[in-house]
Amino acid sequence: MLVDLHLHSQYSDGTKTPREIVQEGARLGYGILALADHNTDAGWEPFSAACRDAGILPLRGMELDCLY
Protein backbone atom coordinates (compact mmCIF):
# COMPACT_ATOMS: atom_id res chain seq x y z
CA MET A 1 0.00 0.00 0.00
CA LEU A 2 1.29 3.45 -0.89
CA VAL A 3 1.25 6.10 1.87
CA ASP A 4 1.98 9.84 1.83
CA LEU A 5 2.07 11.47 5.26
CA HIS A 6 2.93 15.03 4.23
CA LEU A 7 0.73 16.84 1.70
CA HIS A 8 -0.07 20.54 1.31
CA SER A 9 -3.19 21.95 -0.33
CA GLN A 10 -4.10 25.38 -1.69
CA TYR A 11 -4.96 26.33 1.88
CA SER A 12 -1.23 26.32 2.58
CA ASP A 13 1.69 26.37 0.13
CA GLY A 14 0.27 23.78 -2.28
CA THR A 15 -1.45 24.42 -5.59
CA LYS A 16 -4.20 21.77 -5.62
CA THR A 17 -7.52 21.63 -3.80
CA PRO A 18 -7.91 18.91 -1.19
CA ARG A 19 -10.21 16.99 -3.60
CA GLU A 20 -7.64 17.23 -6.42
CA ILE A 21 -4.95 15.88 -4.11
CA VAL A 22 -7.11 12.89 -3.22
CA GLN A 23 -8.08 12.25 -6.84
CA GLU A 24 -4.41 12.16 -7.80
CA GLY A 25 -3.60 9.90 -4.85
CA ALA A 26 -6.39 7.51 -5.82
CA ARG A 27 -5.20 7.47 -9.43
CA LEU A 28 -1.72 6.52 -8.25
CA GLY A 29 -2.99 3.81 -5.88
CA TYR A 30 -2.47 5.42 -2.47
CA GLY A 31 -4.29 3.89 0.48
CA ILE A 32 -3.40 6.45 3.16
CA LEU A 33 -2.96 10.21 2.75
CA ALA A 34 -2.28 12.93 5.33
CA LEU A 35 -3.00 16.61 4.82
CA ALA A 36 -0.41 18.70 6.70
CA ASP A 37 -1.07 22.31 5.73
CA HIS A 38 0.70 25.18 7.47
CA ASN A 39 -1.15 26.77 10.40
CA THR A 40 -4.64 25.79 9.25
CA ASP A 41 -7.05 22.90 9.14
CA ALA A 42 -9.34 24.63 6.62
CA GLY A 43 -8.79 21.88 4.06
CA TRP A 44 -9.54 19.01 6.42
CA GLU A 45 -13.29 18.63 5.80
CA PRO A 46 -13.10 18.52 1.98
CA PHE A 47 -9.97 16.36 2.18
CA SER A 48 -11.46 13.77 4.53
CA ALA A 49 -14.75 13.68 2.57
CA ALA A 50 -12.87 13.11 -0.69
CA CYS A 51 -10.78 10.38 0.95
CA ARG A 52 -13.91 8.59 2.17
CA ASP A 53 -15.38 8.79 -1.34
CA ALA A 54 -12.17 7.34 -2.80
CA GLY A 55 -11.70 4.59 -0.18
CA ILE A 56 -8.52 6.19 1.17
CA LEU A 57 -7.75 6.48 4.89
CA PRO A 58 -7.32 10.20 5.71
CA LEU A 59 -4.91 11.33 8.41
CA ARG A 60 -4.83 14.79 9.93
CA GLY A 61 -1.52 16.60 10.16
CA MET A 62 -0.41 20.20 10.49
CA GLU A 63 2.76 22.26 10.41
CA LEU A 64 2.79 25.02 13.00
CA ASP A 65 4.94 28.13 12.96
CA CYS A 66 6.56 28.96 16.28
CA LEU A 67 9.28 31.14 17.72
CA TYR A 68 11.73 29.94 20.31
Side-chain angles (χ1 to χ4, degrees), residues 4 7 9 11 17-19 21-22 32-37 42-53 56-61:
D4 193 325
L7 296 162
S9 75
Y11 291 98
T17 67
R19 184 163 292 279
I21 291 169
V22 173
I32 299 173
L33 294 174
L35 188 64
D37 282 333
W44 174 250
E45 289 303 323
F47 178 80
S48 60
C51 282
R52 283 191 301 273
D53 292 346
I56 294 173
L57 176 66
L59 297 177
R60 188 185 293 236

Side-chain angles (χ1 to χ4, degrees), residues 6-50:
H6 196 101
L7 296 162
H8 295 277
S9 75
Q10 67 181 14
Y11 291 98
S12 181
D13 59 348
T15 58
K16 295 182 179 181
T17 67
R19 184 163 292 279
E20 290 170 335
I21 291 169
V22 173
Q23 289 170 341
E24 181 72 6
R27 186 184 70 76
L28 295 171
Y30 280 81
I32 299 173
L33 294 174
L35 188 64
D37 282 333
H38 296 272
N39 301 312
T40 184
D41 66 351
W44 174 250
E45 289 303 323
F47 178 80
S48 60

